């Protein structure tokens, strides 16, 4: 099987988790022995049977109690989030409300989502049969979550799986393990059964999760996503992957420039740029380029960077992530780009990088073609909408995009020429809140989708077709015990019925 990350020493024992903004201890984590994962998964399989048998109404009650727990304990969750990630209070405040919104929606639709469906007969002869499709949960869903949103990304997929009747085996990022433990405690404290387990570790534990799951939901880099898919494929286990992105924004000459600038700055800098659907590159039509750049610089210069209260965004998660941002900026500057704000690492402790606006950029630069996942905003001048579309599509990624124009019909036409899973018109990131619609990537940005209304629950199920007789008349017409003459008459009758239907339709 394929290892999902480069070889490294297995994590073992207990470690201290440190705040990347301050270096202070955030808490202690006990790493899971990979050999324990199969036993944990076996326990989930046993508990899952009763969870499935509760039915959608019974599971909805448990999910509703968990939603109440999230609301009651929001302050504690956000304090831990800030301590574990170095986020600003503004960024940390987004995650719990998003989960409660998802839970509220899922609770309303889950019964319908997993209800059996009847299907019509394809021919009159088969009307003697009743055809029903049942949605049966996959026993254990493995969720491998990233570090950028330790609460939201851990649970937004787990909620759909739990609603479907699955048990969930969660492996959070080894960089942000603490909030996952608090969420599991909240699940149990709210009175829910033991169908949600957390395992802690790096590559070896992730591999064990894949090897013991019946479905794998992974959020992370494209390179790691490929290895997750390869390992799952060896067992023919389905996967859903939300992977990297290099999301473009197109600003037309008739756009509301202040709105577009506000959106670009928030979309690029929110969570220090560590968001899968963040604005990573902007293409601006020449007539409004200078005005747009000036408005962006104005907004960026007003931002306050730091952890906790009163700041717009906080630290990057690690020195490794900061190094990627530094490399992209330095290479761009060396190739002729200009930094209108920021441009080099912030002085002092912590993995902070200032909000950096880059101009005079092009597609020879990594800042325009590789995922940065940092607080940068490269802006490129274009001469036409068609050039903007071509450049936006000139990427191996295809997660989401945005288009700004006062002519909404025109913006929608542009949106439908972009090669990505979602496009926001005159807004950014808002598709992430649209839980009735699928959120998935094209090209190397992923396989499958999260959310999607009822489909976001059904994806964790297997379809089972049950065919029962309405009557025994006609049963066994093709069985071996019949005479050849009987079989011949049956086949002639079926042929006449099937061929007669198109002729009637044609009239």
């Amino acid at each position: 099987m394929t290892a999902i990350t480069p070889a490294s020493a297995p994590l073992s024992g207990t470690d201290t988790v440190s705040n990347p903004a301050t270096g202070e201890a955030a808490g202690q984590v006990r790493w899971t022995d990979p050999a324990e994962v199969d036993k944990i998964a076996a326990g989930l399989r046993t508990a899952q049977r009763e969870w499935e048998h509760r039915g959608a109404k019974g599971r909805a009650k448990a999910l509703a109690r968990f939603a109440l727990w999230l609301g009651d304990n929001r302050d504690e969750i956000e304090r831990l989030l800030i301590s574990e990630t170095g986020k600003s209070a503004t960024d940390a405040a987004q995650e719990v409300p998003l989960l409660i919104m998802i839970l509220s929606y899922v609770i309303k639709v889950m019964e319908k989502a997993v209800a059996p469906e009847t299907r019509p007969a394809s021919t009159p002869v088969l009307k003697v049969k009743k055809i029903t499709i049942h949605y049966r949960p996959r026993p254990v869903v493995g969720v491998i979550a990233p570090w950028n949103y330790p609460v939201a990304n851990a649970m937004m997929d787990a909620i759909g799986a739990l609603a479907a009747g699955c048990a969930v085996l969660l492996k959070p990022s080894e960089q942000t393990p603490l909030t996952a433990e608090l969420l599991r405690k909240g699940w149990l404290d709210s009175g829910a059964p033991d169908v949600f387990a957390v395992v802690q570790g790096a590559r070896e534990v992730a591999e064990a999760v894949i090897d013991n799951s019946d479905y794998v939901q992974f959020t992370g880099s494209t390179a790691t996503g490929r290895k997750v898919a390869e390992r799952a494929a060896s067992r023919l286990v389905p996967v859903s992957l939300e992977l990297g992105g290099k999301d473009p924004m197109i600003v037309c000459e008739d756009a509301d420039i202040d709105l577009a600038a506000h959106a670009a700055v928030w979309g690029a800098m929110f969570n220090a740029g560590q968001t899968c659907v963040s604005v990573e590159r902007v293409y601006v039509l020449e007539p409004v380029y200078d005005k747009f750049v000036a408005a962006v610089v104005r907004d960026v210069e007003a931002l306050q960077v730091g952890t906790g209260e009163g700041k717009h965004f906080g630290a990057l998660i690690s020195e490794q992530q900061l190094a990627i941002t530094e490399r992209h900026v330095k290479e761009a500057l060396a190739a002729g780009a200009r930094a209108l704000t920021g441009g080099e690492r912030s002085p002092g402790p912590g993995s902070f990088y200032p909000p950096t606006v880059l101009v005079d950029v092009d597609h020879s630069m990594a800042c325009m073609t590789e995922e940065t996942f940092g607080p940068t905003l490269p802006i490129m001048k274009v001469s036409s909408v068609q050039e903007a579309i071509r450049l936006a599509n000139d990427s191996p990624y295809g997660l989401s995009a945005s288009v700004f124009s006062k002519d909404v019909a025109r913006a929608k036409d542009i949106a439908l020429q972009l090669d990505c899973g979602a496009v926001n018109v005159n807004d950014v990131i808002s598709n992430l809140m649209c839980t009735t619609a699928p959120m998935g990537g094209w090209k190397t940005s992923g396989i499958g989708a999260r959310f999607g209304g009822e489909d976001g629950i059904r994806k964790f199920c297997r379809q089972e077709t049950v065919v029962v007789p309405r009557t025994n008349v006609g049963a066994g017409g093709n069985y071996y015990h019949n005479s050849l003459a009987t079989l011949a008459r049956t086949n002639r009758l079926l042929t006449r019925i099937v061929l007669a239907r198109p002729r009637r339709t044609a009239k």
Side-chain angles (χ1 to χ4, degrees), residues 419-501:
D419 298 336
C420 58
V423 181
N424 297 291
V425 172
N426 293 333
D427 201 357
V428 294
I429 305 181
S430 57
N431 64 289
L432 183 60
M433 311 298 175
C434 301
T435 53
T436 58
M439 180 190 172
W442 293 14
K443 298 187 279 190
T444 63
S445 285
I447 296 173
R450 59 164 49 105
F451 302 146
E454 295 167 12
D455 289 341
I457 299 172
R458 287 176 180 165
K459 81 173 192 177
F460 297 112
C461 298
R462 296 167 291 189
Q463 294 183 13
E464 181 177 359
T465 299
V466 178
V467 181
V468 300
R470 298 181 187 274
T471 173
N472 285 329
V473 174
N478 282 323
Y479 292 175
Y480 288 130
H481 72 275
N482 289 298
S483 67
L484 292 178
T486 299
L487 292 175
R489 284 196 300 273
T490 300
N491 288 332
R492 284 197 297 272
L493 175 62
L494 287 170
T495 301
R496 284 199 300 271
I497 291 171
V498 172
L499 291 180
R501 298 183 75 200

Side-chain angles (χ1 to χ4, degrees), residues 222 242-248 276-277 281 392-401 418-423 439-448:
T222 297
E242 196 217 287
L243 307 178
K246 191 70 180 176
D247 292 5
C276 57
V277 290
R281 51 196 170 115
N393 288 336
D394 180 24
S395 173
Y397 298 111
L399 194 54
S400 70
L418 298 178
D419 298 336
C420 58
V423 181
M439 180 190 172
W442 293 14
K443 298 187 279 190
T444 63
S445 285
I447 296 173

Side-chain angles (χ1 to χ4, degrees), residues 17-22 26 78-88 91-92 95 146-151 175-179 271-272 274 307 314-318 351-352:
V17 179
S18 298
N19 185 330
T22 65
E78 290 175 1
R79 281 195 298 270
L80 184 56
L81 260 181
I82 292 169
S83 180
E84 185 172 43
T85 65
K87 288 177 184 274
S88 68
D91 289 341
E95 299 197 43
W147 45 259
N148 57 336
Y149 294 99
V151 172
Q175 297 186 81
T176 54
L178 302 179
T179 44
N271 203 42
Q274 300 171 123
T307 190
L316 281 84
I317 192 65
S318 65
S351 51
F352 290 99

Side-chain angles (χ1 to χ4, degrees), residues 82-128:
I82 292 169
S83 180
E84 185 172 43
T85 65
K87 288 177 184 274
S88 68
T90 300
D91 289 341
Q94 309 297 315
E95 299 197 43
V96 171
L98 175 61
L99 280 190
I100 293 174
M101 181 190 75
I102 294 169
L103 277 160
S104 177
Y105 175 73
V106 166
I107 289 166
K108 293 174 185 175
V109 302
M110 56 189 286
E111 185 174 6
K112 181 181 178 183
V114 298
E117 293 182 350
T118 58
R119 298 289 173 88
S122 56
T123 67
V125 172
L126 288 176
K127 286 185 176 180
V128 297

Side-chain angles (χ1 to χ4, degrees), residues 255-444:
D256 180 330
I257 297 303
D258 275 339
L259 174 65
H262 296 332
V265 172
W266 183 76
M269 307 303 170
F270 177 71
N271 203 42
Q274 300 171 123
T275 303
C276 57
V277 290
S278 65
V279 176
E280 289 236 356
R281 51 196 170 115
V282 186
Y283 304 98
V284 186
L285 271 291
E286 188 172 3
V288 295
Y289 174 82
D290 290 338
K291 184 178 179 182
F292 175 81
V293 170
V296 164
V297 171
R298 174 202 66 203
D299 283 4
V300 167
E301 288 178 340
L303 297 180
Q304 298 294 316
V305 181
T307 190
E309 295 289 341
K311 307 298 182 182
H312 289 96
F313 68 84
L316 281 84
I317 192 65
S318 65
E319 289 293 323
Q320 179 183 10
Q321 194 59 43
L322 189 145
I324 295 171
T325 303
E326 282 190 301
R327 175 174 66 83
H328 285 186
V329 173
K330 286 181 178 179
E331 289 178 359
L333 296 177
R338 291 183 294 129
L340 302 184
T341 67
E344 58 184 24
R345 178 176 181 156
S346 302
S351 51
F352 290 99
Y353 198 88
T356 298
V357 178
L358 296 171
V359 295
D360 299 336
V361 293
D362 59 45
H363 277 219
S364 69
M365 302 173 185
C367 69
M368 291 294 286
T369 58
E370 297 178 13
E371 186 175 37
T372 305
F373 232 55
T376 65
L377 186 57
I379 306 172
M380 185 173 176
K381 183 191 299 182
V382 294
S383 60
S384 67
V385 168
Q386 287 308 310
E387 182 185 10
I389 293 170
R390 177 180 63 80
L391 290 168
N393 288 336
D394 180 24
S395 173
Y397 298 111
L399 194 54
S400 70
S402 55
V403 179
F404 282 76
S405 170
K406 290 179 182 177
D407 185 340
V408 173
R410 179 194 186 200
K412 183 178 179 182
D413 179 68
I414 295 169
L416 292 173
Q417 298 178 65
L418 298 178
D419 298 336
C420 58
V423 181
N424 297 291
V425 172
N426 293 333
D427 201 357
V428 294
I429 305 181
S430 57
N431 64 289
L432 183 60
M433 311 298 175
C434 301
T435 53
T436 58
M439 180 190 172
W442 293 14
K443 298 187 279 190
T444 63

